[in-house]
Amino acid sequence: MLYTLFKYLNRVYDLPGSGMFQYITFRGVAAFILAMLIVIYIGKPIIRKLQKLQIGEEIRDLGLEGQLAKKGTPTMGGILILLAILIPILLFARLDNIYILLMIISTVWCGAIGFLDDYIKVFRHNKEGLKGKFKVVGQIGLGIIVGTVMCFSEDIVVREEQSDNSNHTITIEHFEDVKTTKTTIPFFKENEFDYSWLTFGNQSLAWIVYVLIAIFIVTAVSNAANLTDGIDGLLTGVSMPIVVVLGVLAYLSGHIIYADYLNIMFIPDSGELLVFALAMIGALLGFLWYNAYPAQIFMGDTGSLAIGGIIAVFSLCIRKELLLPIMCGIFVVEALSVIIQRRYFAYTKRKYGEGRRVFLMAPIHHHYQKQNIPESKITMRFIIISLLLAAISLITLKIR
């Protein structure tokens, strides 16, 4: 919105300072600051309002130390995060950018699924919330939308260098726009993989495969993030390094000089996603102000499902989805701990007549709680691991 306004003012009136809005970095930093201030400024009155309305978390007694003390803590704080992302994006991002439109749709879509789940828990007093199958249907729907748009939108292309370019001068004329199902493979020198390889070169089938992969990624990452949201500040803290990496990769992929130097796919207009990434980082950092131990508010599924969905769709937009197992290593371990626990329990119950467990409790952060490790220490250690994984994700640009 402001981009278009100040572009007009700069062209017609030559307004001093209006040219700054043409720079992605300026708009990104402005979005970061505004997002953080929105959460910090309106957070306290919203927490008081939620407390007054008695919109608190229903705590199941799982035998965890300090658990019952959290009963009544306001939930549905994910609304704060979503507002703090969307308002700066609507103000500072280019709303004619296909990637920004996809991210707005994904944010609202996943936020709506989470909100419905929280609403059923809080107002209908149903601790189970929205049935899992309905959540999955919603996530599949988003995966279909994202995958289809990525496949068939004329605005989404990869700009590849022409083979007859004999000199090293980088100009737009040396590149051509192509529709492709290529993605990036970390650690490999020939670091591009075409999903059409799975269909023996049949491009029509490759698009179908791509949509199915988009569905899987959106569903898996969104649910894994939801599982990670179990103790104060955990999901908020571990998500920030992931979004930082995604923002850096988006900026590099959308810059012809950097993309050529790093030998990564040049994706026109993807650099605008840096504005979205910085807005999200600001929103998460602001939310951590109230969500750090001891939490004054929980994000609920409104926030956790949205965060996972955003990360999934963002990675698809910049064609770095195969990097997710590294970037989102914490999510992977959390999800695997639940799968292992349930499968082993079912297996031992069939074999021995009594279910046994691998972990004291799943997801794995509760396992450490059962070992009497302080909640704040668990959160901090997970954040440190997330920072390490973020660093590893970035150096994959050079390690091939």
Side-chain angles (χ1 to χ4, degrees):
M1 188 183 296
L2 292 180
Y3 171 85
T4 304
L5 173 62
F6 280 95
K7 185 177 180 180
Y8 170 79
L9 293 174
N10 186 45
R11 185 180 71 251
V12 177
Y13 300 105
D14 194 23
L15 183 69
S18 58
M20 289 190 298
F21 281 83
Q22 305 305 308
Y23 293 96
I24 293 173
T25 48
F26 173 79
R27 288 183 287 114
V29 172
F32 167 81
I33 294 171
L34 179 59
M36 187 165 58
L37 291 178
I38 285 173
V39 179
I40 292 175
Y41 181 74
I42 69 174
K44 206 158 193 175
I46 284 182
I47 290 171
R48 284 198 295 264
K49 185 68 175 178
L50 291 173
Q51 287 173 331
K52 188 176 180 180
L53 295 173
Q54 296 183 334
I55 301 176
E57 184 80 5
E58 291 290 334
I59 302 294
R60 289 183 296 176
D61 189 2
L62 301 174
L64 298 172
E65 186 178 352
Q67 180 190 23
L68 295 179
K70 298 181 181 184
K71 186 175 182 180
T73 301
T75 188
M76 300 178 78
I79 297 172
L80 265 175
I81 297 174
L82 301 186
L83 286 175
I85 293 173
L86 292 172
I87 292 173
I89 289 302
L90 293 174
L91 287 174
F92 295 109
R94 290 186 57 177
L95 301 181
D96 59 346
N97 183 289
I98 185 65
Y99 297 111
I100 291 295
L101 292 176
L102 268 180
M103 294 311 303
I104 291 173
I105 291 169
S106 302
T107 303
V108 174
W109 189 288
C110 290
I113 296 171
F115 178 83
L116 185 57
D117 185 51
D118 286 336
Y119 179 85
I120 293 171
K121 288 177 182 176
V122 173
F123 294 98
R124 299 292 178 87
H125 303 289
N126 182 346
K127 293 181 180 179
E128 299 303 317
L130 184 66
K131 289 186 177 179
K133 62 182 179 181
F134 294 122
K135 287 183 188 178
V136 172
V137 167
Q139 291 160 345
I140 289 173
L142 179 60
I144 291 172
I145 292 171
V146 173
T148 304
V149 171
M150 290 290 292
C151 290
F152 300 110
S153 172
E154 294 181 358
D155 295 323
I156 295 179
V157 295
V158 172
R159 195 163 289 170
E160 294 185 342
E161 192 171 2
Q162 296 177 10
S163 57
D164 61 351
N165 179 23
S166 57
N167 60 55
H168 298 287
T169 305
I170 302 171
T171 63
I172 294 296
E173 290 75 17
H174 294 148
F175 292 80
E176 60 180 349
D177 292 343
V178 295
K179 291 293 297 179
T180 181
T181 50
K182 286 183 180 178
T183 190
T184 303
I185 307 178
F187 299 115
F188 284 83
K189 190 171 182 66
E190 299 298 327
N191 66 319
E192 291 179 7
F193 172 74
D194 198 329
Y195 290 117
S196 64
W197 182 83
L198 299 173
T199 61
F200 304 101
N202 188 319
Q203 197 60 46
S204 297
L205 287 177
W207 294 121
I208 296 174
V209 169
Y210 185 84
V211 172
L212 292 175
I213 289 169
I215 291 170
F216 171 76
I217 289 170
V218 169
T219 305
V221 179
S222 184
N223 286 322
N226 185 236
L227 290 172
T228 305
D229 182 34
I231 57 179
D232 297 354
L234 180 58
L235 179 59
T236 313
V238 301
S239 296
M240 281 190 284
I242 298 170
V243 181
V244 168
V245 172
L246 289 171
V248 171
L249 293 175
Y251 184 72
L252 296 175
S253 299
H255 195 291
I256 188 170
I257 304 294
Y258 296 146
D260 182 76
Y261 172 72
L262 293 168
N263 191 28
I264 59 176
M265 278 188 280
F266 174 36
I267 307 171
D269 301 322
S270 66
E272 189 69 19
L273 286 170
L274 177 65
V275 181
F276 190 96
L278 285 170
M280 186 172 178
I281 295 165
L284 291 172
L285 195 59
F287 189 72
L288 196 60
W289 185 277
Y290 299 107
N291 188 234
Y293 181 84
Q296 296 171 262
I297 189 170
F298 300 138
M299 67 172 67
D301 284 7
T302 307
S304 61
L305 289 175
I307 288 172
I310 288 168
I311 290 171
V313 175
F314 202 120
S315 67
L316 287 165
C317 287
I318 61 174
R319 301 175 189 266
K320 301 294 186 294
E321 65 272 14
L322 297 184
L323 197 57
L324 283 174
I326 301 173
M327 277 191 293
C328 302
I330 296 292
F331 294 177
V332 172
V333 172
E334 294 276 13
L336 283 177
S337 68
V338 173
I339 294 169
I340 292 169
Q341 186 87 323
R342 289 180 176 176
R343 294 288 173 85
Y344 186 74
F345 186 88
Y347 167 74
T348 52
K349 190 170 186 179
R350 284 196 308 270
K351 187 171 182 178
Y352 304 109
E354 180 185 12
R356 301 174 184 177
R357 294 174 174 82
V358 176
F359 306 102
L360 296 176
M361 189 174 177
I364 199 167
H365 56 260
H366 289 321
H367 171 80
Y368 294 119
Q369 279 187 285
K370 286 284 190 178
Q371 293 179 328
N372 295 321
I373 299 175
E375 193 170 324
S376 56
K377 182 171 285 189
I378 296 169
T379 298
M380 187 54 63
R381 286 177 176 175
F382 275 46
I383 291 173
I384 292 169
I385 293 170
S386 185
L387 286 167
L388 177 62
L389 293 172
I392 294 171
S393 301
L394 283 176
I395 62 174
T396 60
L397 291 169
K398 298 302 291 182
I399 299 179
R400 298 183 199 153

